[in-house]
Coordinates of all heavy atoms in Angstrom, one line a residue:
M176 N -34.2 -4.8 79.1 CA -34.0 -5.4 77.8 C -32.9 -4.8 77.0 O -32.7 -3.6 77.0 CB -35.4 -5.2 77.1 CG -35.4 -5.5 75.6 SD -37.0 -5.1 74.9 CE -36.5 -5.0 73.2
K177 N -32.1 -5.7 76.5 CA -31.0 -5.3 75.6 C -31.1 -5.9 74.2 O -31.8 -6.9 74.1 CB -29.6 -5.7 76.2 CG -29.3 -5.0 77.5 CD -27.9 -5.5 78.0 CE -27.6 -5.3 79.4 NZ -27.5 -3.9 79.8
V178 N -30.6 -5.2 73.2 CA -30.6 -5.8 71.9 C -29.1 -5.9 71.4 O -28.3 -4.9 71.7 CB -31.3 -4.8 70.9 CG1 -31.4 -5.4 69.5 CG2 -32.7 -4.5 71.4
V179 N -28.8 -7.0 70.8 CA -27.5 -7.1 70.2 C -27.6 -7.3 68.7 O -28.6 -7.8 68.2 CB -26.7 -8.3 70.8 CG1 -26.4 -8.0 72.3 CG2 -27.4 -9.6 70.7
A180 N -26.5 -6.9 68.0 CA -26.6 -6.9 66.6 C -25.3 -7.7 66.1 O -24.2 -7.5 66.6 CB -26.6 -5.5 66.0
D181 N -25.5 -8.6 65.2 CA -24.4 -9.3 64.5 C -24.0 -8.6 63.2 O -24.8 -8.7 62.2 CB -24.8 -10.7 64.3 CG -23.7 -11.6 63.8 OD1 -22.7 -11.0 63.3 OD2 -23.8 -12.8 63.9
L182 N -22.9 -7.9 63.3 CA -22.5 -7.1 62.1 C -22.1 -8.0 60.9 O -22.0 -7.5 59.8 CB -21.4 -6.1 62.4 CG -21.8 -5.0 63.4 CD1 -20.6 -4.0 63.5 CD2 -23.0 -4.3 63.1
D183 N -21.8 -9.2 61.2 CA -21.4 -10.2 60.1 C -22.7 -10.6 59.3 O -22.6 -11.1 58.2 CB -20.8 -11.4 60.6 CG -19.4 -11.1 61.2 OD1 -18.7 -10.1 60.7 OD2 -18.9 -11.7 62.1
V184 N -23.8 -10.4 60.0 CA -25.1 -10.8 59.3 C -25.9 -9.6 58.8 O -26.5 -9.7 57.7 CB -26.0 -11.5 60.4 CG1 -27.3 -11.8 59.8 CG2 -25.3 -12.8 60.8
C185 N -25.8 -8.4 59.4 CA -26.5 -7.2 58.9 C -26.1 -6.9 57.5 O -25.0 -7.0 57.1 CB -26.1 -6.0 59.9 SG -26.7 -4.5 59.3
I186 N -27.2 -6.6 56.7 CA -26.9 -6.2 55.3 C -27.2 -4.7 55.1 O -27.2 -4.2 53.9 CB -27.8 -7.0 54.4 CG1 -29.3 -6.9 54.8 CG2 -27.4 -8.5 54.4 CD1 -30.3 -7.5 53.8
G187 N -27.3 -4.0 56.2 CA -27.5 -2.5 56.0 C -28.8 -2.0 55.4 O -28.8 -0.9 54.8
A188 N -29.8 -2.8 55.6 CA -31.1 -2.5 55.0 C -31.7 -1.3 55.7 O -32.5 -0.6 55.0 CB -32.1 -3.7 55.1
G189 N -31.4 -1.0 56.9 CA -31.8 0.2 57.6 C -33.3 0.1 58.2 O -33.8 1.1 58.6
V190 N -33.9 -1.0 58.0 CA -35.3 -1.1 58.5 C -35.3 -0.8 60.1 O -36.2 -0.2 60.6 CB -35.8 -2.5 58.3 CG1 -37.2 -2.6 58.9 CG2 -35.8 -2.8 56.8
C191 N -34.3 -1.3 60.7 CA -34.3 -1.1 62.2 C -34.2 0.4 62.5 O -34.8 0.9 63.5 CB -33.1 -1.8 62.8 SG -31.5 -1.4 62.0
V192 N -33.4 1.1 61.8 CA -33.2 2.6 62.1 C -34.5 3.4 61.8 O -34.9 4.2 62.6 CB -32.1 3.2 61.2 CG1 -31.9 4.6 61.5 CG2 -30.8 2.4 61.4
L193 N -35.2 3.0 60.8 CA -36.5 3.6 60.4 C -37.5 3.3 61.5 O -38.4 4.1 61.8 CB -37.0 3.1 59.1 CG -36.2 3.6 57.8 CD1 -36.6 3.0 56.6 CD2 -36.3 5.2 57.7
T194 N -37.5 2.1 62.0 CA -38.5 1.6 62.9 C -38.2 2.1 64.4 O -39.2 2.6 65.0 CB -38.5 0.0 63.0 OG1 -38.7 -0.4 61.7 CG2 -39.6 -0.5 63.8
A195 N -37.0 2.1 64.8 CA -36.7 2.5 66.2 C -35.4 3.3 66.2 O -34.4 2.9 66.6 CB -36.5 1.3 67.1
P196 N -35.6 4.6 65.7 CA -34.4 5.5 65.6 C -33.7 5.9 66.9 O -32.6 6.4 66.9 CB -35.0 6.7 64.8 CG -36.4 6.7 65.1 CD -36.8 5.2 65.3
K197 N -34.4 5.6 68.0 CA -33.7 6.0 69.3 C -32.9 4.8 69.8 O -32.3 4.9 70.9 CB -34.8 6.4 70.3 CG -35.5 7.7 70.0 CD -36.5 8.1 71.1 CE -37.1 9.5 70.7 NZ -38.3 9.7 71.5
V198 N -33.0 3.7 69.1 CA -32.3 2.4 69.6 C -31.2 2.1 68.6 O -30.1 1.6 69.0 CB -33.3 1.3 69.7 CG1 -32.6 0.0 70.2 CG2 -34.4 1.7 70.7
F199 N -31.5 2.3 67.3 CA -30.5 1.9 66.3 C -30.0 3.1 65.4 O -30.7 4.1 65.2 CB -31.2 0.9 65.3 CG -31.7 -0.3 66.1 CD1 -33.1 -0.4 66.3 CD2 -30.9 -1.3 66.5 CE1 -33.6 -1.6 66.9 CE2 -31.4 -2.4 67.1 CZ -32.7 -2.6 67.4
D200 N -28.8 3.0 64.9 CA -28.3 3.9 64.0 C -27.5 3.1 62.9 O -27.3 1.9 63.1 CB -27.4 4.9 64.6 CG -27.2 6.2 63.8 OD1 -27.7 6.2 62.6 OD2 -26.5 7.1 64.2
Q201 N -27.1 3.7 61.9 CA -26.3 3.0 60.9 C -24.9 3.7 60.8 O -24.8 4.9 60.8 CB -26.9 3.1 59.5 CG -28.0 2.0 59.3 CD -28.7 2.2 57.9 OE1 -29.5 3.0 57.8 NE2 -28.4 1.3 57.0
G202 N -23.9 2.9 60.7 CA -22.5 3.4 60.7 C -22.3 4.2 59.4 O -22.8 3.8 58.3
A203 N -21.8 5.4 59.5 CA -21.6 6.3 58.4 C -20.6 5.7 57.4 O -20.7 5.9 56.2 CB -21.0 7.7 58.9
D204 N -19.7 4.9 57.9 CA -18.7 4.3 57.0 C -19.1 3.0 56.3 O -18.9 2.9 55.1 CB -17.4 4.0 57.9 CG -17.8 3.2 59.1 OD1 -18.9 3.2 59.5 OD2 -16.9 2.5 59.7
D205 N -19.9 2.2 57.0 CA -20.2 0.9 56.4 C -21.8 0.7 56.2 O -22.1 -0.3 55.6 CB -19.6 -0.3 57.2 CG -20.1 -0.3 58.7 OD1 -21.0 0.5 59.0 OD2 -19.5 -1.0 59.4
G206 N -22.6 1.6 56.8 CA -24.0 1.4 56.6 C -24.6 0.3 57.5 O -25.8 0.1 57.5
L207 N -23.8 -0.3 58.3 CA -24.3 -1.4 59.1 C -24.9 -0.9 60.5 O -24.5 0.2 60.9 CB -23.2 -2.4 59.4 CG -22.6 -3.1 58.1 CD1 -21.5 -4.1 58.5 CD2 -23.6 -3.7 57.3
V208 N -25.7 -1.7 61.1 CA -26.4 -1.3 62.3 C -25.4 -1.0 63.4 O -24.4 -1.6 63.6 CB -27.4 -2.3 62.6 CG1 -26.7 -3.6 63.1 CG2 -28.4 -1.8 63.7
R209 N -25.8 0.0 64.3 CA -25.2 0.2 65.5 C -26.3 0.3 66.6 O -27.3 1.0 66.4 CB -24.5 1.6 65.5 CG -23.4 1.7 64.5 CD -22.2 0.9 64.8 NE -21.1 1.2 63.9 CZ -20.9 0.6 62.7 NH1 -21.8 -0.3 62.3 NH2 -19.9 1.0 61.9
V210 N -26.2 -0.4 67.6 CA -27.1 -0.3 68.7 C -26.6 0.8 69.6 O -25.5 0.8 70.1 CB -27.2 -1.6 69.5 CG1 -28.2 -1.5 70.7 CG2 -27.6 -2.8 68.6
I211 N -27.4 1.9 69.7 CA -26.9 3.1 70.3 C -27.3 3.3 71.8 O -27.0 4.3 72.4 CB -27.3 4.4 69.5 CG1 -28.9 4.4 69.3 CG2 -26.7 4.4 68.2 CD1 -29.3 5.7 68.6
V212 N -28.0 2.3 72.3 CA -28.3 2.3 73.7 C -27.8 1.1 74.4 O -27.9 0.0 73.9 CB -29.8 2.5 74.0 CG1 -30.4 3.9 73.6 CG2 -30.6 1.4 73.3
E213 N -27.4 1.3 75.6 CA -26.9 0.1 76.5 C -28.1 -0.8 76.8 O -28.1 -2.0 76.6 CB -26.2 0.7 77.7 CG -25.8 -0.4 78.7 CD -24.4 -0.9 78.3 OE1 -23.7 -0.3 77.5 OE2 -24.0 -1.9 78.9
T214 N -29.1 -0.1 77.3 CA -30.4 -0.8 77.6 C -31.5 0.0 76.9 O -31.5 1.2 76.9 CB -30.6 -0.7 79.2 OG1 -29.5 -1.3 79.8 CG2 -31.9 -1.4 79.6
V215 N -32.4 -0.8 76.3 CA -33.5 -0.1 75.6 C -34.4 0.5 76.6 O -34.9 -0.1 77.6 CB -34.3 -1.2 74.9 CG1 -35.5 -0.6 74.2 CG2 -33.4 -1.9 73.8
P216 N -34.7 1.8 76.5 CA -35.5 2.5 77.4 C -36.9 1.9 77.3 O -37.4 1.5 76.3 CB -35.6 4.0 76.9 CG -34.4 4.1 76.0 CD -34.1 2.7 75.5
S217 N -37.6 1.9 78.5 CA -38.9 1.2 78.6 C -39.9 1.7 77.5 O -40.7 0.9 76.9 CB -39.5 1.3 80.0 OG -39.6 2.7 80.4
G218 N -39.9 3.0 77.2 CA -40.8 3.5 76.2 C -40.5 3.1 74.8 O -41.3 3.3 73.9
E219 N -39.3 2.6 74.6 CA -38.8 2.2 73.2 C -38.9 0.7 73.0 O -38.5 0.2 71.9 CB -37.4 2.6 73.0 CG -37.2 4.2 73.0 CD -38.0 4.9 72.0 OE1 -38.0 4.4 70.8 OE2 -38.6 6.0 72.3
E220 N -39.3 -0.1 74.0 CA -39.2 -1.5 73.9 C -40.1 -2.1 72.8 O -39.7 -3.0 72.1 CB -39.6 -2.2 75.2 CG -38.5 -2.0 76.2 CD -38.7 -2.8 77.5 OE1 -39.7 -3.4 77.6 OE2 -37.8 -2.9 78.3
R221 N -41.3 -1.5 72.6 CA -42.2 -2.1 71.6 C -41.6 -1.9 70.2 O -41.6 -2.8 69.4 CB -43.6 -1.4 71.7 CG -44.6 -2.0 70.8 CD -45.9 -1.2 70.8 NE -45.8 0.2 70.4 CZ -45.8 0.6 69.1 NH1 -45.8 -0.3 68.2 NH2 -45.7 1.9 68.8
L222 N -41.1 -0.7 69.9 CA -40.5 -0.4 68.7 C -39.2 -1.2 68.4 O -38.9 -1.7 67.3 CB -40.2 1.1 68.5 CG -41.4 2.0 68.4 CD1 -41.0 3.5 68.3 CD2 -42.2 1.7 67.1
A223 N -38.5 -1.4 69.5 CA -37.2 -2.2 69.4 C -37.6 -3.6 69.0 O -36.9 -4.3 68.1 CB -36.4 -2.2 70.6
R224 N -38.6 -4.2 69.6 CA -39.1 -5.5 69.3 C -39.5 -5.6 67.9 O -39.2 -6.6 67.2 CB -40.3 -5.8 70.2 CG -40.0 -6.9 71.3 CD -41.3 -7.2 72.1 NE -41.2 -6.5 73.3 CZ -40.6 -7.0 74.4 NH1 -39.9 -8.1 74.3 NH2 -40.5 -6.3 75.5
E225 N -40.3 -4.6 67.4 CA -40.8 -4.6 66.1 C -39.6 -4.6 65.1 O -39.6 -5.3 64.1 CB -41.6 -3.3 65.9 CG -42.6 -3.4 64.8 CD -43.5 -2.1 64.8 OE1 -44.0 -1.8 65.9 OE2 -43.6 -1.5 63.7
A226 N -38.6 -3.8 65.4 CA -37.4 -3.7 64.5 C -36.7 -5.1 64.4 O -36.3 -5.5 63.4 CB -36.4 -2.7 65.1
V227 N -36.6 -5.8 65.5 CA -36.0 -7.1 65.6 C -36.8 -8.1 64.7 O -36.2 -8.8 63.9 CB -35.9 -7.6 67.0 CG1 -35.4 -9.1 67.0 CG2 -34.9 -6.8 67.8
D228 N -38.1 -8.0 64.8 CA -38.9 -8.8 63.9 C -38.9 -8.5 62.5 O -38.9 -9.4 61.6 CB -40.4 -8.7 64.4 CG -40.7 -9.3 65.8 OD1 -39.8 -10.2 66.2 OD2 -41.7 -9.0 66.4
L229 N -38.7 -7.2 62.1 CA -38.7 -6.8 60.8 C -37.4 -6.9 60.0 O -37.3 -6.9 58.8 CB -39.2 -5.3 60.7 CG -40.7 -5.0 61.0 CD1 -40.9 -3.5 61.1 CD2 -41.6 -5.7 60.0
C230 N -36.3 -7.0 60.8 CA -35.0 -7.0 60.2 C -35.0 -8.2 59.2 O -35.2 -9.3 59.5 CB -33.9 -7.2 61.3 SG -32.3 -7.6 60.6
P231 N -34.6 -7.9 57.9 CA -34.7 -8.9 56.9 C -33.5 -10.0 57.0 O -33.7 -11.0 56.4 CB -34.6 -8.2 55.6 CG -33.9 -6.9 56.0 CD -34.3 -6.6 57.4
S232 N -32.5 -9.6 57.7 CA -31.3 -10.6 57.7 C -31.3 -11.4 59.0 O -30.5 -12.3 59.1 CB -30.0 -9.8 57.6 OG -29.8 -9.0 58.7
G233 N -32.1 -11.0 60.0 CA -32.0 -11.7 61.3 C -30.8 -11.4 62.1 O -30.3 -12.2 63.0
A234 N -30.2 -10.2 61.9 CA -29.0 -9.8 62.6 C -29.3 -9.3 64.1 O -28.3 -9.2 64.8 CB -28.4 -8.6 61.8
L235 N -30.5 -9.0 64.4 CA -30.8 -8.5 65.7 C -31.4 -9.6 66.6 O -32.1 -10.4 66.2 CB -31.8 -7.3 65.6 CG -31.4 -6.2 64.7 CD1 -32.5 -5.2 64.5 CD2 -30.1 -5.5 65.2
E236 N -31.0 -9.4 67.9 CA -31.5 -10.4 68.9 C -31.7 -9.7 70.2 O -30.9 -8.8 70.6 CB -30.5 -11.5 69.1 CG -30.9 -12.6 70.0 CD -29.9 -13.7 70.2 OE1 -28.8 -13.6 69.6 OE2 -30.1 -14.6 71.1
I237 N -32.8 -10.0 70.8 CA -33.2 -9.4 72.1 C -32.5 -10.3 73.1 O -32.7 -11.5 73.2 CB -34.7 -9.4 72.4 CG1 -35.3 -8.4 71.4 CG2 -35.0 -9.0 73.8 CD1 -36.8 -8.3 71.4
V238 N -31.8 -9.7 74.1 CA -31.2 -10.4 75.2 C -31.6 -9.7 76.5 O -32.1 -8.6 76.5 CB -29.6 -10.5 75.1 CG1 -29.2 -11.4 73.9 CG2 -29.0 -9.2 75.0
D239 N -31.4 -10.4 77.6 CA -31.7 -9.8 78.9 C -33.2 -9.3 79.0 O -33.5 -8.2 79.4 CB -30.8 -8.5 79.1 CG -29.5 -8.9 79.8 OD1 -29.3 -10.1 80.0 OD2 -28.8 -8.0 80.2
E240 N -34.0 -10.2 78.5 CA -35.4 -9.9 78.6 C -35.9 -9.8 80.0 O -35.5 -10.7 80.8 CB -36.2 -11.0 77.8 CG -37.7 -10.7 77.6 CD -38.0 -9.7 76.5 OE1 -37.9 -10.1 75.4 OE2 -38.4 -8.6 76.9
D241 N -36.6 -8.8 80.4 CA -37.1 -8.7 81.8 C -38.3 -9.5 82.0 O -39.1 -9.6 81.1 CB -37.3 -7.3 82.2 CG -36.0 -6.4 82.1 OD1 -35.0 -7.0 82.5 OD2 -36.1 -5.2 81.7
Ligands
SF4_778 S1 -32.8 -4.0 59.7 FE1 -31.3 -5.7 60.0 S2 -30.1 -5.8 58.2 FE2 -31.1 -3.8 58.2 S3 -29.6 -2.4 59.2 FE3 -30.9 -3.1 60.7 S4 -29.8 -4.9 61.6 FE4 -29.0 -4.5 59.6

């Protein structure tokens, strides 16, 4: 499972980072989301899914679902 982020849509709310800090980070310069893993580790999939659902802007999308 992979997650992609649309930086044109992200508003830097940080909900994703709080929810799944091993998958997401925020850019120090712009506060926008960074996906920090190539593939979401199996132990982090539930939290990553939760973060995608909770993102207020809809910037996150799950791709390559197994
Ligand atoms: S929760 Fe959504 S809007 Fe907030 S930083 Fe993450 S991707 Fe951006």
